[in-house]
């Protein structure tokens, strides 16, 4: 049976009925995007499912570290067709030089995900370049480049306790959550590493950011072994290994700032694919006529796990901290109401979803949406393979269309911009630019800072309001081609309009140069699709997150656990 909502032919769909996806004007508002939670479609989850299904094999071909944990190591993953090696370098770093800022030039550890296994000559080349990061020189054999700094307090505590033959303090482990945090994970041809085209056709990297997730997963494995290694060197034969439960609880931290924020604007087709897949998954589940005891049990188990994760969620951000407290209460409410709402009857999952829409905050609604997906892998996991997209930088502009028809197309796709008054100073209080020093995106204050003449075209809502006005003032019978020949500055707006006309989830439907805009909402929206959790804003412009906390290590997959 094919349903209008799911576009799916499958036995699971035969028990469903047509149900519309959530509207883009609901889903793509910045406040809701800033409440996003990871789901089973998130990129690290999709990678782990493939790794488990294909039984990827983990090994350590080289472990050459001194007593202080400085040196080099190779951690290898064998997929059914290829070997990939995380080449790891651990180097001394003075406390004065330890910073998460992008301007740093030295780090505790640095990594490259290598295509194959490097020989001695390649290891020497990498050792000369990888610790230098942006200043190094790389080849297409180098797939991912990254670096990470220790959480010094927790790392030293773990080493000290293990050297004493004891386990770390669970409360301290819980409060920090990681031994290392990455400050950059580069892919897609940066600094001479491999272009995406080199690996895009490989099944293990078929989805977005799968290579990056593999690299971070191996970084996590290295950091745990690094701590155990240093402990063993301090107390040979007496040091303990990390308890498996505590070992799995440790993720990889990440510090992310404005450099990531414009991504959701610059990649409209990809952003549409991500959100369309998630919304399709939610519609498939909501459309189910009934449910089973196993699915209900799976939901309740996921709910219990999320409640525990929220209990461990630490942030002092004045906006996010109250939201976390409210979320804990809302999940308790869901726990009390879900058994009744999922009891026998039609549309149980939709009933639960609508309860959330009426009773929960945006944070709670998005958490519940993620939970509803959890027990339905057989119905939705295929969508994880549809979330990649080849962006078309020359997306074809139909120059033959009349300006009247173009105006109608833009009005339909961007009518949501009517709610903004760009004559108000606060509506255009900021501007996006690229730092000359680091070639990274930055956000300027228009009234107080120079550089607005170098503004990047990221104020889509403002530009579309002006584009609509320009079209309305032109001859409706004129062709778009002639109009753009006279006004080439509108080419970027025309191109976006053609994309948005057929990809409704491609735009963040908000004003990204407003004084009230919080860039961390953009960061969270993207990182949730990666699979990040425990979002900890450190200001409105950067945040820390955790990746892979609670998930298996590579050697655990190899043993089938």
């Amino acid at each position: 049976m094919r349903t209008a909502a799911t576009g799916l032919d499958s036995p699971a769909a035969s028990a469903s009925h047509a149900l519309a996806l959530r509207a883009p004007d609901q889903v793509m508002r910045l406040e809701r995007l800033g409440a996003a939670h990871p789901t089973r479609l998130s990129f690290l989850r999709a990678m782990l499912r493939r790794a488990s299904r294909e039984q990827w094999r983990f090994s350590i071909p080289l472990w050459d570290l001194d007593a202080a944990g400085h040196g080099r190591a190779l951690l290898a993953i064998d997929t059914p067709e290829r070997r990939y090696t995380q080449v790891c370098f651990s180097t001394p770093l003075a406390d004065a030089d330890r910073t998460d800022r992008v301007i740093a030039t030295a780090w505790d550890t640095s990594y490259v995900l290598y295509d194959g296994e490097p020989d001695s000559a390649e290891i020497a080349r990498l050792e000369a370049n990888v610790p230098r990061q942006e200043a190094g020189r790389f080849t297409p054999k180098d797939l991912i480049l990254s670096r990470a700094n220790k959480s010094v307090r927790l790392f030293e505590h773990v080493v000290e306790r293990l050297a004493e033959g004891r386990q770390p303090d669970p409360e301290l482990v819980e409060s920090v959550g990681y031994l290392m945090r990455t400050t950059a994970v580069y892919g897609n041809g940066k600094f001479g590493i491999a272009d995406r085209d080199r690996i895009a056709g490989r099944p293990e990297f078929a989805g977005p950011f799968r290579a990056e997730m593999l690299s971070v997963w191996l970084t996590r494995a290295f950091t745990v072994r690094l701590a155990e290694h240093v402990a063993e060197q301090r107390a040979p034969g007496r040091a303990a290994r990390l308890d498996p439960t505590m070992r799995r609880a440790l993720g990889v931290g990440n510090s992310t700032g404005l450099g990531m924020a414009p991504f959701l604007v610059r990649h409209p087709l990809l952003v549409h694919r991500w959100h369309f897949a998630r919304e399709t998954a939610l519609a498939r589940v909501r459309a189910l006529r009934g449910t089973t005891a196993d699915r209900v049990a799976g939901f309740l188990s996921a709910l219990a796990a999320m409640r525990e994760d929220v209990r461990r969620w630490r942030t002092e951000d004045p906006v996010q901290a109250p939201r976390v407290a409210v979320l804990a209460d809302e999940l308790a409410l869901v726990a009390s109401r879900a058994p009744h709402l999922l009891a026998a009857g039609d549309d149980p999952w939709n009933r639960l979803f609508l309860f959330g829409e009426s009773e929960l905050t945006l944070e709670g609604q998005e958490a519940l949406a993620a939970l509803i997906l959890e027990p339905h892998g057989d119905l939705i996991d295929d969508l994880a393979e549809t979330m990649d997209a080849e962006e078309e930088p020359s997306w074809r502009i139909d120059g033959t269309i009349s300006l009247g028809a173009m105006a109608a197309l833009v009005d339909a796709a961007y009518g949501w911009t009517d709610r903004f008054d760009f004559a108000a100073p606060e509506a255009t209080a900021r501007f996006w630019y690229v730092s000359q020093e680091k070639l990274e995106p930055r956000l300027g204050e228009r009234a107080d800072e120079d550089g607005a003449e170098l503004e990047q075209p990221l104020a889509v809502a403002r530009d579309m309001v002006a584009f609509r006005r320009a079209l309305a003032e032109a001859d409706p019978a004129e062709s778009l081609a002639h109009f753009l020949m006279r006004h080439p500055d509108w080419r970027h707006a025309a191109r976006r309009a053609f994309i948005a006309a057929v990809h409704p989830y491609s735009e963040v439907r908000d004003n990204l140069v407003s004084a009230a805009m919080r860039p961390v909402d953009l960061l969270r929206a993207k990182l949730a699709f990666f699979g990040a959790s425990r979002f900890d804003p450190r200001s409105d412009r950067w945040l820390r997150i955790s990746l892979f906390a609670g998930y298996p290590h590579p050697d655990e997959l190899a043993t089938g656990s």
Side-chain angles (χ1 to χ4, degrees):
M1 171 181 176
R2 180 177 292 275
T3 74
T6 64
L8 172 72
D9 292 308
S10 76
S14 66
S16 64
H17 58 101
L19 194 68
L21 277 62
R22 291 192 294 180
D25 205 42
Q26 176 187 10
V27 172
M28 302 305 294
R29 299 285 287 271
L30 195 55
E31 187 177 18
R32 185 177 291 274
L33 293 174
H37 284 259
T39 74
R40 65 178 300 121
L41 298 182
S42 298
F43 309 143
L44 71 82
R45 296 278 301 275
M47 185 209 74
L48 288 175
R49 283 196 297 274
R50 178 178 285 274
S52 179
R53 183 172 64 249
E54 297 179 348
Q55 283 294 283
W56 294 1
R57 310 299 296 184
F58 172 73
S59 60
I60 303 179
L62 175 68
W63 189 267
D64 182 17
L65 302 179
D66 65 19
H70 300 138
R72 56 191 185 173
L74 304 181
L75 277 63
I77 282 285
D78 289 301
T79 72
E81 296 182 13
R82 296 174 185 84
R83 166 168 284 202
Y84 299 99
T85 305
Q86 183 88 332
V87 186
C88 313
F89 298 101
S90 173
T91 52
L93 181 65
D95 288 341
D97 296 330
R98 183 176 290 105
T99 174
D100 290 343
R101 296 187 64 192
V102 72
I103 61 172
T105 57
W107 305 269
D108 284 308
T109 58
S110 52
Y111 311 87
V112 69
L113 182 66
Y114 186 85
D115 194 0
E117 183 177 328
D119 59 19
S120 57
E122 282 287 79
I123 292 173
R125 173 184 69 83
L126 293 168
E127 192 163 23
N129 286 280
V130 172
R132 301 176 66 208
Q133 294 283 290
E134 291 98 323
R137 294 294 180 266
F138 302 97
T139 79
K141 294 290 285 183
D142 310 325
L143 304 182
I144 303 296
L145 179 68
S146 62
R147 68 279 188 116
N149 284 333
K150 295 173 183 174
S151 173
V152 177
R153 179 176 58 131
L154 182 59
F155 190 91
E156 179 56 32
H157 169 77
V158 169
V159 169
E160 182 180 296
R161 283 291 186 92
L162 293 180
E164 295 171 351
R166 299 191 294 157
Q167 291 299 310
D169 178 1
E171 292 187 4
L172 183 58
V173 170
E174 181 179 299
S175 67
V176 178
Y178 49 79
L179 295 175
M180 293 270 187
R181 58 179 174 267
T182 60
T183 63
V185 180
Y186 295 122
N188 302 320
K190 278 205 113 177
F191 313 120
I193 63 177
D195 287 331
R196 169 68 179 166
D197 289 347
R198 179 181 175 90
I199 60 173
R202 301 181 185 183
E204 58 270 25
F205 296 147
F209 293 96
R210 297 278 180 90
E212 287 85 346
M213 293 300 97
L214 174 57
S215 180
V216 173
W217 192 39
L218 293 171
T219 293
R220 178 192 184 216
F222 173 75
T223 62
V224 168
R225 282 169 169 74
L226 177 62
E228 292 179 333
H229 168 87
V230 176
E232 176 64 25
Q233 295 299 308
R234 289 187 187 178
R238 301 194 310 275
R241 297 283 183 179
L242 268 173
D243 173 81
T245 301
M246 193 169 294
R247 182 174 182 259
R248 187 176 282 205
L250 287 165
V252 174
N254 174 264
S255 295
T256 296
L258 288 177
M260 183 183 282
F263 182 95
L264 298 188
V265 181
R266 291 176 172 162
H267 299 275
L269 182 56
L270 198 60
V271 167
H272 168 82
R273 289 279 180 86
W274 295 2
H275 288 88
F276 184 74
R278 188 191 64 189
E279 294 306 310
T280 299
L282 187 59
R284 287 181 182 180
V285 175
R286 291 175 58 200
L288 290 172
R289 288 290 193 186
T291 190
T292 66
D294 285 347
R295 292 195 193 276
V296 172
F299 170 82
L300 294 176
S301 175
L303 173 59
M306 181 179 282
R307 293 183 69 184
E308 178 63 16
D309 200 52
V310 169
R311 186 186 67 78
R312 295 174 177 173
W313 189 345
R314 302 285 189 270
T315 180
E316 297 180 1
D317 180 69
V319 175
Q320 189 58 42
R323 290 178 180 175
V324 174
V326 171
L327 178 60
D329 292 338
E330 291 185 335
L331 292 178
L333 177 63
V334 172
S336 69
R337 297 287 298 277
H340 171 72
L341 292 167
L342 294 175
D346 288 342
D347 308 326
W349 296 104
N350 193 44
R351 280 203 309 274
L352 181 58
F353 172 82
L354 294 176
F355 155 76
E357 292 284 286
S358 65
E359 300 293 333
L360 307 180
T361 62
L362 290 179
E363 186 88 44
Q365 290 173 29
E366 293 307 298
L368 181 57
L371 288 168
I372 286 173
L373 301 182
E374 275 302 312
H376 296 96
D378 60 321
L379 182 63
I380 68 171
D381 282 354
D382 63 297
L383 291 166
E385 307 305 316
T386 70
M387 297 171 74
D388 209 356
E390 292 300 322
E391 295 282 358
E392 300 181 50
S394 58
W395 185 276
R396 190 171 298 280
I397 295 174
D398 181 4
T400 66
I401 193 173
S402 71
L403 294 188
M406 186 68 194
L409 182 151
V410 177
D411 286 347
Y414 290 93
W416 54 269
T417 62
D418 287 340
R419 67 176 183 267
F420 304 119
D421 176 14
F422 287 104
E426 62 270 17
T428 58
R430 292 167 165 178
F431 64 94
W432 293 91
Y433 67 98
V434 174
S435 162
Q436 184 176 14
E437 179 186 7
K438 297 299 292 186
L439 300 179
E440 290 277 2
R442 294 290 183 268
L443 193 59
E445 300 296 331
R446 199 178 300 273
D448 302 322
E449 299 179 47
D450 295 331
E453 70 278 5
L454 302 175
E455 183 172 6
Q456 295 290 295
L458 302 177
V460 175
R462 182 200 62 192
D463 290 354
M464 284 303 177
V465 166
F467 185 42
R468 293 171 72 192
R469 186 183 307 117
L471 291 173
E473 294 171 353
D475 179 359
E478 183 182 9
S479 72
L480 179 62
H482 282 96
F483 175 82
L484 292 178
M485 287 177 66
R486 291 187 291 110
H487 304 288
D489 288 350
W490 290 122
R491 286 182 60 86
H492 79 284
R495 178 178 178 269
R496 293 197 78 93
F498 280 112
I499 295 173
V502 291
H503 297 98
Y505 296 97
S506 61
E507 294 285 19
V508 176
R509 298 193 174 202
D510 254 303
N511 176 12
L512 301 187
V513 291
S514 164
M517 187 269 301
R518 280 171 52 87
V520 290
D521 290 339
L522 293 169
L523 303 180
R524 179 167 173 180
K526 181 182 178 185
L527 290 165
F529 276 103
F530 283 17
S533 62
R534 302 180 193 177
F535 301 94
D536 180 17
R538 312 299 285 190
S539 76
D540 69 346
R541 302 190 181 199
W542 72 284
L543 80 170
R544 287 178 178 166
I545 52 99
S546 180
L547 291 164
F548 289 100
Y551 292 106
H553 281 259
D555 58 337
E556 293 177 300
L557 286 185
T559 59
S561 57

